[in-house]
């Protein structure tokens, strides 16, 4: 096994070589092998990640806008130009021109492109809403096939399905859900894989950044897809934050539990309302979160300048209305240039561990059995965090220590079961009163 520092050194050498070969701006060689990157894209590349932004085609002709885009970012997402209403305003008649301008601008400068988005309830042209199941299925099939074929081989990741869940974890009642039923997401992913075998296929949503009913529902879907071989490669966490919806304290744990399912995670639409130091600190913490999750492969901010943000009053971006670098910009750049982080090139199943629970529930009581499984590398100590429903109280547990009897509980390994060989499992259990179902355990290896 190559040591982390050796891997980091090797990567830095590769990045410098790649930067030289691609003519990437922003890498300054200081002396010997030491380097400090001076742009978001170059600094993220040193950590094996991309740093992207949403882009609007109608601003590309503005020189300040294009200069900042070209200098700072290594990935773009068309903000509206790849949505269904923009691409297929009339059934079977496609208009790719605006999105093509973004794709060629980006690819001509070595940036990768995120495709956003194939199946979404919003920004649908009127004709879609009037279709019966048979016609909607064939329209969805044709839309995915035509759009993905147009840019086949040119899109790094596609948001195949966007925002299909409600806050309580139920399915959103979109035309797709109503006409095609629960299977529409799986259908869309299978169609997408067939249409462009090399694009990474993502599910993308908002308010799924921390652990809650909505992210639990997405987690269960991804787990199910992985267990049945439904093609899915990545999960996008939009990460639109403000005072009502702050950066969650379990952001990293939540991204890590998805990564442990064997998918990449991406921060896809980051913006954080606020200003000054408070905003900068939030941006720093989000950046560090991605750097600390080995399969978090990149960050996209939802726009370049506050001037063109979808919520301009919140001044949620890294550049002000005059394209001045904000404190938030410096915080992100410094975080990207910071210390050791988990590289995104771990073995497919990731290091660390995963946990699943099976609960035997009866009137007034329950027994939970938690299975802890090591990833591709051996585990030498683990902890499982879970939150019991209110009213549930644990009266006994075995093969693990526990930090509390109710609410948020952390179980630690016992002396005899901390070491787990790669891919192997151990179990612990608990007994309680009340209702113990609906629990999502999150495993962390120490
Ligand atoms: O709402 C924020 C984002 C949430 N996640 C999915 C993203 O696709 C979504 O992006 C926003 C765009 O940033 C807005 O620019 O999606 C909005 C629509 O749902 C976009 O707004 C629309 C306006 O509603 C239209 O009136 C306008 O014609 O932008 C259009 C193009 O400027």
């Amino acid at each position: 096994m190559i040591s982390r520092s050796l891997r980091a050194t090797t990567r830095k050498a590769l990045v410098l070589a790649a930067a030289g070969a691609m003519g990437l701006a922003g890498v300054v060689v200081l002396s010997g092998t030491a380097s400090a990157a001076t742009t978001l894209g170059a600094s993220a590349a040193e950590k094996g990640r991309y740093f992207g932004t949403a882009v609007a085609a109608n601003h590309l002709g503005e020189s300040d806008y294009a200069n900042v885009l070209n200098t700072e970012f290594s990935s773009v997402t068309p903000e509206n130009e790849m949505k269904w209403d923009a691409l297929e305003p009339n059934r079977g008649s496609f208009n790719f021109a605006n999105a093509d301008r973004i794709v060629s601008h980006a690819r001509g400068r070595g940036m990768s492109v995120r495709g956003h988005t194939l199946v979404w309830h919003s920004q649908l042209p009127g004709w879609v809403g009037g279709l019966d199941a048979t016609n909607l299925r064939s329209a969805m099939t044709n839309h995915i096939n035509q759009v993905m074929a147009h840019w086949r081989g040119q899109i790094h990741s596609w948001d195949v399905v966007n925002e299909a869940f409600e806050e309580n974890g139920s399915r959103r009642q979109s035309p797709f859900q109503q006409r095609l039923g629960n299977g529409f997401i799986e259908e869309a992913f299978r169609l997408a894989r067939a249409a462009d075998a090399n694009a990474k296929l993502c599910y993308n949503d908002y308010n799924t950044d921390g652990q809650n009913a909505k992210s639990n529902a997405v987690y269960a879907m991804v787990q199910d897809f992985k267990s049945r071989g439904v093609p899915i490669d990545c999960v996008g966490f939009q990460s639109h934050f403000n005072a009502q919806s702050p950066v969650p304290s379990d952001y990293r744990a939540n991204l890590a539990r998805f990564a442990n399912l064997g998918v990449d995670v991406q921060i896809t639409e980051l913006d954080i309302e606020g200003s000054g130091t408070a905003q900068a600190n939030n941006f720093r913490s989000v950046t560090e979160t991605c750097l600390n999750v080995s399969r978090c492969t990149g960050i996209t901010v939802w726009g370049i300048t506050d001037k063109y943000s979808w919520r301009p009053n919140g001044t949620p971006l890294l550049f002000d209305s005059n394209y001045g670098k904000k404190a938030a910009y410096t915080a992100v750049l410094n975080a990207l240039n910071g210390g050791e982080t988990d590289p995104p090139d771990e073995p497919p199943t990731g290091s660390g561990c995963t946990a699943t629970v099976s609960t035997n529930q009866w009137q007034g009581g329950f027994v939970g059995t938690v299975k802890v499984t090591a990833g591709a590398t051996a585990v030498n100590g683990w902890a499982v965090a879970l939150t019991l429903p209110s009213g549930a109280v644990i009266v006994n547990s075995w093969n693990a220590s526990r930090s509390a009897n109710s609410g948020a509980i952390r179980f630690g390994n016992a002396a005899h079961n901390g070491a787990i060989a790669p891919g192997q499992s151990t179990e612990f259990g608990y007994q309680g009163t009340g209702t113990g179902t609906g629990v999502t355990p999150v495993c962390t290896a120490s």
Side-chain angles (χ1 to χ4, degrees), residues 274-363:
S275 61
T277 308
Q279 183 181 47
N281 287 341
N282 281 323
F283 266 104
R284 174 185 302 111
S285 131
V286 169
T287 307
E288 288 173 348
T289 296
C290 182
L291 293 177
N292 283 311
V293 175
S294 61
R295 295 195 68 152
C296 181
T297 56
I299 299 174
T300 298
V301 286
W302 203 239
I304 297 173
T305 158
D306 287 338
K307 173 166 67 161
Y308 297 138
S309 166
W310 69 294
R311 44 185 198 184
N313 296 337
T315 60
L317 296 172
L318 301 178
F319 294 84
D320 66 25
S321 295
N322 299 314
Y323 297 96
K325 292 173 178 171
K326 296 164 62 176
Y329 169 92
T330 308
V332 169
L333 186 68
N334 289 343
L336 291 171
N337 285 332
E340 271 300 300
T341 51
D342 285 348
D345 55 358
E346 299 287 343
T349 52
S351 55
C353 53
T354 53
T356 54
V357 63
S358 70
T359 305
N360 182 15
Q361 179 73 47
W362 61 88
Q363 187 71 39

Side-chain angles (χ1 to χ4, degrees), residues 189 193 200-203 218-219 221-223 225-226 230-237 254-266 293-297 344 347-350:
F189 275 86
R193 178 67 94 228
K200 287 187 181 289
L201 308 181
C202 303
Y203 176 80
V218 177
Y219 181 88
M221 178 188 75
V222 176
Q223 194 171 39
F225 279 14
K226 295 300 282 185
V230 179
I232 184 166
D233 307 303
C234 37
V235 176
F237 298 83
N254 189 45
L255 266 52
R257 72 169 171 153
F258 278 87
N260 281 335
L261 290 175
V263 288
D264 288 343
V265 296
Q266 304 175 354
V293 175
S294 61
R295 295 195 68 152
C296 181
T297 56
T349 52

Side-chain angles (χ1 to χ4, degrees), residues 1-11 343 345-347 377:
M1 164 125 185
I2 304 172
S3 75
R4 173 153 296 177
S5 61
L6 180 57
R7 273 200 318 234
T9 308
T10 309
R11 179 174 311 101
D345 55 358
E346 299 287 343
T377 53

